[in-house]
Amino acid sequence: MDDSKVVGGKVKKPGKRGRKPAKIDLKAKLERSRQSARECRARKKLRYQYLEELVSSRERAICALREELEMYKQWCMAMDQGKIPSEIRALLTGEEQNKSQQNLSRHPKAGKTDANTNLLLGN
């Protein structure tokens, strides 16, 4: 009696599936394993370097944003006391100059400043 089965038109014999393992030299196998481990450690090192650089750049960005936030807080406190910080004054006068130049190019008689802007600037 034969233990073989017919599946899908093919005769299959019972036993181990897949390829039979080739007789590999043990030293070559160990060397490949060592090489693979070296490559894995190198990839891990690169990944950690990349992540450390990313963290460092994000920390620098956070510090810059905190400084900017502190500057804005100081501006708000000054404005609460009725003072206009020189930086804001420069921004407002710069915007007003741009607007007046645009208005002059459109309307020759529109060289006057807005009453609210004059109040803010203390004019």
Side-chain angles (χ1 to χ4, degrees):
M1 202 194 266
D2 192 12
D3 288 338
S4 62
K5 295 181 183 178
V6 176
V7 178
K10 295 182 181 178
V11 178
K12 295 205 171 203
K13 295 184 179 177
K16 295 182 179 179
R17 293 182 173 181
R19 290 189 337 191
K20 293 182 181 177
K23 304 253 177 172
I24 300 173
D25 185 27
L26 189 58
K27 287 183 179 180
K29 185 176 180 179
L30 284 174
E31 184 54 38
R32 277 200 320 270
S33 176
R34 289 183 188 122
Q35 180 64 29
S36 177
R38 278 191 291 270
E39 291 170 1
C40 180
R41 286 190 295 271
R43 284 191 306 270
K44 183 177 179 181
K45 184 178 178 181
L46 284 174
R47 185 171 50 250
Y48 273 85
Q49 285 175 346
Y50 165 75
L51 291 173
E52 286 173 356
E53 289 172 8
L54 191 62
V55 168
S56 177
S57 70
R58 298 285 165 89
E59 286 174 345
R60 285 191 303 272
I62 288 169
C63 287
L65 289 170
R66 283 192 176 135
E67 289 174 7
E68 187 177 354
L69 179 62
E70 188 59 36
M71 178 185 66
Y72 291 142
K73 285 180 182 178
Q74 290 175 0
W75 287 5
C76 288
M77 288 190 316
M79 291 176 73
D80 287 344
Q81 296 171 357
K83 301 173 186 174
I84 298 178
S86 59
E87 296 90 347
I88 294 178
R89 187 180 299 267
L91 286 173
L92 290 173
T93 56
E95 285 179 9
E96 189 57 40
Q97 287 173 355
N98 288 339
K99 284 182 184 178
S100 63
Q101 287 175 355
Q102 289 174 357
N103 287 338
L104 284 175
S105 64
R106 292 181 195 157
H107 309 288
K109 292 185 180 179
K112 297 181 182 176
T113 59
D114 185 11
N116 290 335
T117 305
N118 284 336
L119 286 174
L120 280 174
L121 295 176
N123 293 340

